[in-house]
Amino acid sequence: MVDKIRTICIVGAGFMGKQIMKRSALHNYVIRVFDINLKVVDEYIKKLTKNLGKDGISAEISLHSKLSEAVQNVDLIIEAVPEKLELKKDIFSRVDKLAPLHAILATNSSSFPVSKIEDVVERKDKIMNIHFYSLSKYPMADLMKGTQTSDETFEKGKKWVESINITPLIVKKESFGFVFNRIWRAIKKECLKIWAGGHADVETIDQSWKIFTGMDIGPFTLMDNIGLEVVYDIEMSYYHESGDINDIPPDLLKEMMDKGFLGRKSGKGFYTY
Ligand code: NAD
């Protein structure tokens, strides 16, 4: 456990918040949770607590319907509500007024640098991006400062991430897409261009990737797993950031989505399932 970080609060316990909760519980942190969907989150916490109990871990997780109660005596707050800037700003502005002064505020946002959120808080030295990847498969997190985040805050955030057995990826200078998302995005963008340009089919592109990297799946299978509408939205967010028309994903991708081919979950994407 990191010195001085003992109790954490997770605001938004959906797909990502639940994974952060589980990891933190495994590493003996006291966890407070705030979510507007109390029933679903309560069921998850009960199940998680029971399962951890079978392994001899007594998790201390409490669910709160009031933000003021959820942030009491906490040392770190991780926000994982949906990717809407105004919603995140509202949460941070409230949390800043309610949480103990020493507490660090972190956002799990996939796309917003914390510099776009920090203006709503007083404690600009204690706010940062901690962007987790899907933790069961990819145990890593991007760490990035805002314009005034102190070295002390950043170091504490890094130590906490390491303490739950996640590899921190240090972003030295503000970067849209952090570290690995940018790498994955470059691969994805080029693969889509090769396919949409009719230069090679998805099987050939995936095969080349698998042989070269030794991985079990290629970029198109991965995009099918993620969901083509999610891939499309992410590509569009890069386009909105750059304004470069070369960043707009190929029309063919949109045509597939319009036909309802969304990847594995719909039974068809680049491959048929
Ligand atoms: P999600 O929709 O699964 O979960 C969001 C949770 O927030 C839900 O439980 C919802 O009830 C709750 N919520 C909504 N409004 C709230 C409010 N006003 N107050 C408190 N709780 C509220 O979303 P997610 O996929 O877990 O994504 C959350 C964040 O993590 C986003 O910023 C996203 O960009 C980021 N992220 C997502 C992934 C991913 O693979 N899904 C990966 C990395 C980062």
Side-chain angles (χ1 to χ4, degrees), residues 8-266:
I8 67 161
C9 172
I10 296 169
V11 180
F15 180 71
M16 289 306 297
K18 287 191 184 96
Q19 297 183 53
I20 300 166
M21 190 194 311
K22 186 174 172 188
R23 274 278 165 163
S24 307
L26 276 169
H27 292 272
N28 298 319
Y29 284 95
V30 176
I31 303 156
R32 307 237 165 87
V33 183
F34 174 74
D35 197 295
I36 49 171
N37 198 344
L38 289 171
K39 192 170 175 289
V40 172
V41 179
D42 187 43
E43 280 165 16
Y44 177 81
I45 292 175
K46 282 190 179 127
K47 213 163 115 189
L48 176 65
T49 312
K50 199 172 153 198
N51 286 339
L52 290 174
K54 284 182 197 156
D55 295 333
I57 300 166
S58 65
E60 233 183 289
I61 310 173
S62 56
L63 178 61
H64 302 266
S65 58
K66 285 191 181 149
L67 190 58
S68 55
E69 285 171 9
V71 298
Q72 252 182 41
N73 302 320
V74 304
D75 308 305
L76 169 71
I77 291 124
I78 302 279
E79 167 276 311
V81 298
E83 193 71 351
K84 292 183 187 135
L85 188 57
E86 287 316 311
L87 173 61
K88 289 185 188 284
K89 280 186 162 186
D90 175 55
I91 298 276
F92 276 101
S93 126
R94 285 158 62 204
V95 164
D96 187 42
K97 291 181 186 82
L98 297 165
L101 286 178
H102 75 279
I104 294 174
L105 317 183
T107 175
N108 187 51
S109 169
S110 309
S111 64
F112 303 121
V114 78
S115 63
K116 292 210 168 136
I117 300 173
E118 66 186 20
D119 55 326
V120 299
V121 305
E122 293 290 328
R123 63 185 89 189
K124 293 185 175 42
D125 59 327
K126 294 193 181 67
I127 184 165
M128 66 187 290
N129 285 97
I130 300 184
H131 166 252
F132 290 98
Y133 291 78
S134 194
L135 295 181
S136 51
K137 280 195 192 149
Y138 315 115
M140 56 186 185
D142 295 299
L143 269 62
M144 192 165 87
K145 286 182 176 180
T147 64
Q148 297 176 47
T149 314
S150 70
D151 290 344
E152 192 192 344
T153 296
F154 197 71
E155 193 53 30
K156 271 195 199 167
K158 175 172 172 273
K159 285 203 170 130
W160 174 70
V161 165
E162 286 169 336
S163 78
I164 57 171
N165 213 9
I166 300 291
T167 301
L169 308 174
I170 307 301
V171 184
K172 288 163 57 179
K173 191 176 162 194
E174 189 171 291
S175 160
F176 187 80
F178 312 110
V179 180
F180 187 75
N181 272 352
R182 280 182 68 168
I183 299 172
W184 164 232
R185 188 270 173 144
I187 294 163
K188 197 173 37 175
K189 183 180 169 189
E190 204 52 33
C191 288
L192 287 168
K193 276 192 172 178
I194 300 171
W195 160 73
H199 303 288
D201 57 31
V202 295
E203 288 84 358
T204 303
I205 301 168
D206 272 0
Q207 196 181 26
S208 69
W209 177 260
K210 288 194 281 187
I211 293 171
F212 188 80
T213 63
M215 286 174 67
D216 294 338
I217 61 169
F220 285 97
T221 303
L222 195 47
M223 283 189 258
D224 270 355
N225 291 349
I226 291 168
L228 300 194
E229 81 290 13
V230 178
V231 169
Y232 181 84
D233 285 350
I234 293 170
E235 290 311 290
M236 286 304 285
S237 72
Y238 279 101
Y239 163 61
H240 291 311
E241 180 69 15
S242 71
D244 181 349
I245 54 166
N246 287 313
D247 286 341
I248 299 176
D251 290 345
L252 269 181
L253 179 65
K254 184 83 176 47
E255 284 169 26
M256 284 176 64
M257 288 161 52
D258 292 344
K259 285 184 196 149
F261 301 156
L262 300 180
R264 191 177 287 276
K265 64 185 160 201
S266 70

